[in-house]
Amino acid sequence: MAINIKRPNGTEDVLPKDVHRWQTVEKIARETADSFGFSEIRIPTFENTELFMRSVGETTDVVQKEMYTVMAKETKFTLRPEGTAGTIRAMLQNGLLNEALPQRVYYILSCFRHERPQAGRLREFHQFGLEMAGSPSPSADAEVISLAKNILDRLGLKNIKLYINSIGCPTCRAKYHEALRNYFENRKDELCETCHERLEKNPMRILDCKSPVCQEIAKNAPVILDFLCDECGEHFEKLKKYLGNLGIEYNVNPKIVRGLDYYTKTVFEFVTDEIGAQGTVCGGGRYDGLIEQLGGQKVPALGFAMGIERLLIVMDKQKCEFLTPRKCDIYFATMGDESLEKAMSISHELREYGYRAEFDLMGRGIKAQMKYANKIGASFTVVLGDNELSQGTAKVKDMETGGEVEISLDDKFRVNFESLYFNKMMDSLEDGEMLNNLNGDVK
Ligand code: HAM
């Protein structure tokens, strides 16, 4: 029997030639979150299953149909379907909520959901997300939404619509659930089996069902905005005012309920209609009850997550610019052992100073080595032949201009090369080229 070593359905490889696209998104997202006072958190890939059942919610599609769960010895573990639950668990377990509030963390992580794969919907996907804990104020909602908008803008994305809604607190939710039950009860027979159970336990989840019949029935269901209590109504009005002050365009969409149970008050989504059905590139909201529900203090919190694969699809579609990947700074073409050893020692020093230096590891002839240097886009090359070694100097060639500068092969090589490199960088800067270098902060 042939062994199946193909990657599983709904997963993707990111090849070296494409990784700069990911690094562009990650760099911009990190820098933006950092400028808003967020620091990175890293959490485990799997957690106790109960954590997700408690937080994401037992009547959600994610918990009911999409989790990857294993039984290891006596314990049930689940690969994280999202980042919020694990992040809040980590905040609680490590006492972050006893420190200065608000606590602000961001993460870049893989998530796992057993959905039907299609463009923009994977079984392993990646999120950039963040969570802020401690502030009950609508100014925090505006801050988090404006952060998300900032990232999308800095990625160069256009025509991404922001939809906002309030799904209230447990007080307004009770009346709303009653109205929903009354509405759906009349058409109970047409609902899917899962929604029968939802009707009893959590009728709001019917609004989020993926079955076309349930979706059709849900179209005319009552909307939560008509049931908000005074506090939730005020919170929403203030958020709208702040967004207006910030010049952030939004649309109120009372149909947005989100697919996870922990939300209260504000929910929002950034959506594009340019990439088909999976157009939500970012989703988030407030979840004031979750921390207490997980055994912590009563601390309000909120956040969002962006699907990195979806961002990349839209960036490609809109021909957004990516930061340029790093290339070889200097390539040493060698002939024989002595020359190789020289290349090794000079490269070692250059690397210490942050340069990307390479030399032949394949035993190729000089011609083939130069061909290789061209292929990898080396900025400079140096041929280390017998003459060069005996004279103690070599010509460093600028591969773009063809210009050559003679540099001594002693301990001044690095300093001299550095000034050559610096001049080239200044020339490129004048031409506006290096500004988009992914590793501009290194070399
Ligand atoms: P979510 O809406 O389930 O929210 O996911 C956030 C984003 O992840 C989506 O908007 C989408 O871009 C991406 N995404 C979700 N599922 C898939 C998939 N199967 N394939 C590719 N991309 C996908 C959450 O996960 C919440 N934890 C967000 C949050 C953080 N709310 C508060 N804090």
Side-chain angles (χ1 to χ4, degrees), residues 183-432:
Y183 174 82
F184 285 115
E185 198 64 52
N186 293 330
R187 303 187 64 178
K188 191 175 172 183
D189 295 346
E190 298 164 68
L191 294 174
C192 76
E193 218 165 282
T194 323
C195 283
H196 277 171
E197 193 191 329
R198 288 170 170 157
L199 187 57
E200 294 297 311
K201 289 191 179 158
N202 190 357
M204 240 171 90
R205 285 274 69 92
I206 302 174
L207 303 175
D208 191 49
C209 181
K210 290 186 184 117
S211 134
V213 178
C214 299
Q215 277 179 7
E216 189 54 40
I217 299 172
K219 270 188 184 156
N220 296 318
V223 293
I224 178 82
L225 282 182
D226 296 332
F227 294 81
L228 291 188
C229 67
D230 288 349
E231 193 202 321
C232 291
E234 259 167 49
H235 188 100
F236 197 47
E237 288 311 311
K238 276 219 162 136
L239 167 64
K240 289 194 278 186
K241 179 166 176 271
Y242 293 147
L243 291 178
N245 291 349
L246 289 166
I248 297 175
E249 279 178 37
Y250 61 86
N251 305 275
V252 174
N253 181 353
K255 300 269 172 195
I256 291 184
V257 290
R258 312 273 302 125
L260 313 160
D261 267 356
Y262 45 65
Y263 292 110
T264 54
K265 293 187 178 161
T266 311
V267 286
F268 61 91
E269 288 180 353
F270 285 89
V271 183
T272 170
D273 55 14
E274 291 177 30
I275 60 166
Q278 306 304 318
T280 308
V281 291
C282 173
R286 189 168 265 289
Y287 48 89
D288 288 347
L290 179 63
I291 295 175
E292 199 179 17
Q293 210 172 305
L294 292 178
Q297 313 91 308
K298 198 170 161 39
V299 178
L302 69 166
F304 69 74
M306 300 180 166
I308 298 181
E309 287 86 352
R310 287 191 196 172
L311 289 173
L312 289 171
I313 296 175
V314 195
M315 285 178 77
D316 281 340
K317 186 98 206 246
Q318 299 189 355
K319 302 201 165 40
C320 294
E321 270 186 44
F322 293 98
L323 299 171
T324 49
R326 188 152 183 219
K327 289 202 173 133
C328 174
D329 294 319
I330 183 163
Y331 180 85
F332 295 93
T334 60
M335 284 189 268
D337 243 15
E338 201 188 331
S339 149
L340 177 66
E341 282 174 29
K342 192 78 191 168
M344 275 180 169
S345 75
I346 301 178
S347 295
H348 181 74
E349 188 185 347
L350 288 171
R351 290 166 182 164
E352 296 264 296
Y353 282 80
Y355 293 97
R356 184 159 173 167
E358 290 189 45
F359 47 84
D360 179 54
L361 296 168
M362 302 294 292
R364 291 186 174 115
I366 285 287
K367 226 173 141 187
Q369 289 187 50
M370 293 311 284
K371 216 169 149 188
Y372 172 80
N374 241 323
K375 224 178 192 172
I376 61 171
S379 298
F380 293 93
T381 54
V382 188
V383 176
L384 294 179
D386 291 342
N387 281 346
E388 283 81 5
L389 292 181
S390 63
Q391 286 164 11
T393 63
K395 286 187 180 131
V396 179
K397 181 175 176 182
D398 182 327
M399 293 296 277
E400 201 182 1
T401 63
E404 291 183 324
V405 173
E406 189 134 345
I407 300 187
S408 59
L409 291 170
D410 53 19
D411 49 12
K412 295 218 185 63
F413 185 92
R414 197 258 308 159
V415 177
N416 288 327
F417 173 68
E418 205 142 31
S419 77
L420 207 61
Y421 186 91
F422 181 75
N423 287 339
K424 185 175 172 63
M425 220 165 78
M426 293 312 284
D427 288 347
S428 311
L429 263 179
E430 272 166 26
D431 298 341

Side-chain angles (χ1 to χ4, degrees), residues 82 84 113 115 120 122 127 131 258 262-263 280 303-304 307:
E82 55 100 59
T84 307
R113 296 185 193 175
E115 297 188 82
L122 292 141
Q127 288 186 343
E131 316 295 343
R258 312 273 302 125
Y262 45 65
Y263 292 110
T280 308
F304 69 74

